[in-house]
Structures are given as C-alpha cells and as structure tokens.
Amino acid sequence: MKDFIVLFPETFLWFNESEGLFYNSNAKKFFTFSCNELIHNYCLLFNDPANLYSVAIDHSDKQDALFSSWLDSIVKYKIGAIYSIENEEKKPFSLPPILNLRDEIEEAQLDKNKYYSSINIAEFLNEMSFFLSGGGLPDEEREYYKQIIYPYSEESFLELGVIHSFLEKSNTTHLRQVNLICSDQLIYPNIRDLIGLFVTHGIYVTCYMPGRYTDAFLQIIDILQSTNFTLKLYFITIGDFTKIQDYIKDYSIQYNWVFLIKNENDFLLCEKIIKDHNLTKSDILPVLTSRNFDFFEENIFISRDNIENLSLTKQNVFCNQSINSNYWGHLFILPDGNVYGNLNKKPLGSMREDAMELIKREINDPESSWKCTREKVTPCKDCIFRNLCPPPSNYEFYLNRFNLCTIKCMT
C-alpha cells in the first residue's frame, strides 16, 4: 500500500525556497505555507508535468512536523487529497492547470511573418485612444496622460485626414472601442466630421473632456445627442459640475464623471458628490504628483487583503500569466501622429504606417508592454502572489518601479 498526494485540477501552485501558495480557482481562495527543503522538493515534483500533479508520499517524511502539517492543510482546504493505492500502475493523477497555447504558436516560432499575417494580427486590435489635443495644460498635469487617459498638452491638433487615412489602410475588423481625448478648450476643427467618421465605422466611442460648462461643452452635447457615444467628464469645480448636471439631464446622453484623486481631501469631496447626487458610474482615478507619493503608498498600494478579494477564475489566472490586460490590444496615438503600445515607452512608429505592422512590432518586442506580466519584472517574478496580483500598470511604468504593494515576500 502506497500513499499519493494529488492536487485537484483547479489548484494552482507557486513557490520559492522559503514559502509557497496554493490557489483554489473554484473556491477562489488561497492559503500560504512556509517551505523547508522537504516541502520545496515535493513542490518541484508537483510542478513536473510528467507527474500529473500526483506525488508518492515517503512515510518517513511524515516525521517532519512542518511537512505533516502541510499535508493536513492540503486536505483541509480542499487543495488536494491523499489516496492509498496497492497497485502503483493505477496511481491517481490530475491535470495541472497549465495554459495550452495553440499549435500555431509553434509555427510562429518558425515563420513569424507567415503566422502574423494582417488577418491574424487584426484580432489583436480592440481599442484605440486618439489624443486630439488643441491646448496646453498646467505643468503638474502634463504627464497625467502617462498614468491615466487624460488630455495631452499640445497646441496643435491630430488632423482628421490623418485619422481617416490611418483607419482606411488598417484592418479594423475587430476594433470595438475608440477613445477621443480632448484638451481644455474643445476647438478641434471638424469635430462633427470626426465623430461622423466613427459612426460610419460602427465603432463604440467614448469622448473624454474637462467638465467645464462652456460653449465647447454645449457644442459637444449638441453633436453627441444624435449618437450612442459615451461622454466622460473630468471633474473640475463644484460650480461647473452643478451646471452640467442640471443641463445634461434633458438629453439622452450616456455620460459619467471622472474624479482625479491626489490626496485625502480630493477623495472625501469625490465621495460626498457621488453620494449626494447618486452617481452610479463614476470613475475614481488616483494620479501621482511630485508631492503625494506617501498618500499613494498609504491608500493605493495593493495589499494582501486586496488580492484576497479579487476572486479570480482559472481563466483570469491564465490571462495574468500570458498577457498584460492593461495594454493588450490597445494603441495610443498622440497629436504628432506617433503610435504607442504604452505611453511610458518609445513609440512603435507613426500613423503613416499600417496599424498591423505596428502591432507586429509590439508583439515581437522582447520588452513588449502587451506581454509584460509579473513573471517578467523584478521583484514580482520571485513573489508567490505574482499571478494573482493585477498586471503591471501605468503607474509602475511611469515610476519604473514594479512593486507598488505592501506584500513582503520571502525569497
């Protein structure tokens, strides 16, 4: 009679030499454990695909108190089970949760130009953000666009003809979302024609602009009322907010407010406005300044409690292991016509090129933001929580620091 410890197929395992973590993707719960040499060796055996998540237990190993407690926890938390088998040829097994890539990926390694055809690449393009510009911004706000979707400080405009040409020569079959980000004074030439361009393409559009009660705002409302576009308004002052709320209620326009949070007072005001006006779809976005890193660290950094509340499915974990969902499928275009996969990095090229070629460039880049997971950045790659944590964000690229968290992992 021989005992086998078998992990269930919904169980993920991550570990280093000091500690480890089991995640049950059905129950959406995890438990952590300390590693000694014995437990570490068993974890290595679990991670060998040839063992199919099944490892024979040496009875002498149960004399190790930490190991014995570890086995009990696996059963207690429904991470796996222990089976007693007489015939080792009939040993139990399980299928580890390993992401199976398509066969074409292997072909791509041999002939990327063949695999990454315009048709295949088109599937990856889901969203574009056009920074229209047309006005300057205060110094403190000029790099907000690297952290969140926010207007770019530039007096010139991204021309309508250039946008039209870029869309016409690119395969936009799978493009589902376009963001138009406007500067403080919406004096964009041919704004009605620009919006009409996306209406004819059948693309869902969100317009971002400062929430100021001005002629520009009234102009946008007049144009958007005949579309199904969404309007996102950056909160500026309570006076502008009140006037816009009173005015826009008479129009069937989808809209919501965007609150930028730089300190505790910003958050308290935002909280009060949302409650007093029963706002159900507001965006609350923290922004880094030269003076508020302590606030960021105290209130925005990811904690263990945050991760416990994420409730990730098996597919969510696979996604975290393979792509960066903050960037994947999204191109950003600045007023000078340069196109980016990440606004904190160098441009992929310009709008003079086919979007499919730009996407190839991003995907084939060893430092691709679209494929930048926690597995690839320091110190996250050594952390047992790396595949439960959200993927690297704009804030981290902006700071060039990839551990905006309060979790201290042992290595």
Side-chain angles (χ1 to χ4, degrees):
M1 189 73 71
K2 199 158 193 175
D3 289 343
F4 287 83
I5 178 70
V6 183
L7 301 184
F8 295 144
E10 63 270 16
T11 297
F12 288 88
L13 167 63
W14 302 291
F15 61 95
N16 55 41
E17 292 185 355
S18 304
E19 58 184 347
L21 178 151
F22 285 117
Y23 180 69
N24 183 322
S25 59
N26 280 357
K28 299 180 177 61
K29 299 288 185 183
F30 68 79
F31 87 83
T32 59
F33 55 88
S34 297
C35 268
N36 58 17
E37 185 177 358
L38 179 60
I39 292 175
H40 185 261
N41 287 337
Y42 271 78
C43 288
L44 290 173
L45 291 171
F46 279 133
N47 260 15
D48 184 345
N51 290 327
L52 293 174
Y53 252 17
S54 177
V55 178
I57 301 172
D58 188 323
H59 285 281
S60 65
D61 290 339
K62 292 184 177 180
Q63 302 302 313
D64 185 298
L66 188 61
F67 176 76
S68 180
S69 174
W70 182 67
L71 290 180
D72 292 343
S73 295
I74 289 175
V75 176
K76 175 182 177 182
Y77 292 107
K78 297 182 173 57
I79 296 299
I82 296 175
Y83 301 92
S84 297
I85 304 297
E86 291 185 1
N87 184 353
E88 283 195 47
E89 292 183 358
K90 296 182 179 181
K91 78 168 190 174
F93 67 90
S94 178
L95 296 177
I98 299 174
L99 179 62
N100 292 317
L101 299 177
R102 297 182 301 177
D103 292 340
E104 289 90 346
I105 296 298
E106 293 184 5
E107 294 179 20
Q109 310 230 339
L110 299 174
D111 188 354
K112 289 184 178 179
N113 288 328
K114 178 181 177 182
Y115 176 70
Y116 288 134
S117 68
S118 180
I119 295 175
N120 287 332
I121 285 289
E123 297 179 11
F124 303 151
L125 180 58
N126 310 127
E127 184 172 1
M128 286 185 181
S129 290
F130 293 92
F131 292 77
L132 304 179
S133 200
L137 294 171
D139 288 346
E140 186 177 73
E141 299 179 20
R142 289 187 176 182
E143 292 201 334
Y144 284 2
Y145 78 98
K146 292 184 177 182
Q147 304 176 43
I148 61 174
I149 292 183
Y150 196 75
Y152 183 79
S153 185
E154 175 63 55
E155 297 292 340
S156 61
F157 296 103
L158 182 56
E159 296 179 6
L160 174 61
V162 176
I163 297 174
H164 184 271
S165 175
F166 185 57
L167 292 175
E168 286 299 311
K169 66 189 173 190
S170 300
N171 187 336
T172 58
T173 306
H174 297 271
L175 181 62
R176 294 291 176 264
Q177 172 71 41
V178 163
N179 305 308
L180 302 177
I181 302 97
C182 311
S183 58
D184 192 29
Q185 296 295 321
L186 187 60
I187 53 175
Y188 186 83
N190 306 314
I191 183 66
R192 192 180 296 271
D193 292 337
L194 175 64
I195 290 175
L197 172 64
F198 291 108
V199 170
T200 58
H201 276 76
I203 298 170
Y204 188 80
V205 176
T206 300
C207 296
Y208 290 78
M209 64 178 290
R212 287 198 171 93
Y213 189 74
T214 62
D215 290 342
F217 167 75
L218 301 180
Q219 175 192 0
I220 280 292
I221 295 302
D222 180 60
I223 296 172
L224 293 185
Q225 64 178 326
S226 60
T227 73
N228 63 348
F229 291 7
T230 295
L231 180 62
K232 292 207 174 190
L233 297 165
Y234 301 103
F235 175 83
I236 305 298
T237 68
I238 191 66
D240 285 310
F241 171 86
T242 303
K243 290 178 181 178
I244 289 175
Q245 284 289 104
D246 289 342
Y247 183 85
I248 207 170
K249 65 184 180 184
D250 296 326
Y251 294 86
S252 57
I253 291 177
Q254 302 177 66
Y255 78 100
N256 62 277
W257 288 91
V258 179
F259 294 90
L260 305 188
I261 307 300
K262 301 184 288 294
N263 51 52
E264 187 174 355
N265 288 338
D266 286 345
F267 178 75
L268 293 175
L269 175 61
C270 161
E271 190 177 44
K272 183 178 188 305
I273 291 172
I274 289 175
K275 181 179 179 181
D276 291 348
H277 294 268
N278 193 29
L279 304 180
T280 57
K281 294 183 179 180
S282 299
D283 296 341
I284 302 174
L285 302 179
V287 287
L288 275 161
T289 71
S290 59
R291 302 181 300 276
N292 74 340
F293 188 79
D294 289 345
F295 169 78
F296 225 80
E297 187 170 15
E298 184 177 347
N299 296 280
I300 310 301
F301 275 31
I302 294 171
S303 67
R304 178 173 172 143
D305 288 342
N306 295 145
I307 292 178
E308 286 180 345
N309 293 326
L310 287 176
S311 298
L312 300 182
T313 64
K314 184 184 290 188
Q315 288 70 29
N316 293 148
V317 176
F318 286 156
C319 182
N320 283 348
Q321 290 176 320
S322 55
I323 66 170
N324 187 317
S325 56
N326 291 321
Y327 300 103
W328 182 266
H330 195 162
L331 292 179
F332 304 85
I333 300 95
L334 291 187
D336 61 4
N338 280 332
V339 182
Y340 297 76
N342 177 347
L343 287 166
N344 290 284
K345 303 185 80 171
K346 294 180 179 179
L348 300 171
S350 76
M351 295 176 75
R352 292 188 297 271
E353 302 173 82
D354 181 349
M356 302 305 106
E357 290 301 317
L358 300 175
I359 292 173
K360 282 186 192 179
R361 221 166 280 164
E362 172 65 33
I363 291 175
N364 290 329
D365 184 351
E367 297 184 0
S368 167
S369 296
W370 286 20
K371 297 189 291 183
C372 181
T373 66
R374 296 282 172 195
E375 298 269 8
K376 296 179 180 179
V377 297
T378 303
C380 304
K381 63 184 180 182
D382 296 318
C383 177
I384 60 173
F385 291 95
R386 61 188 177 273
N387 290 313
L388 299 181
C389 192
S393 67
N394 268 346
Y395 302 113
E396 290 160 285
F397 279 103
Y398 178 67
L399 290 171
N400 194 29
R401 173 180 170 178
F402 293 96
N403 62 336
L404 301 187
C405 69
T406 60
I407 298 170
K408 305 298 181 185
C409 286
M410 298 179 289
T411 56

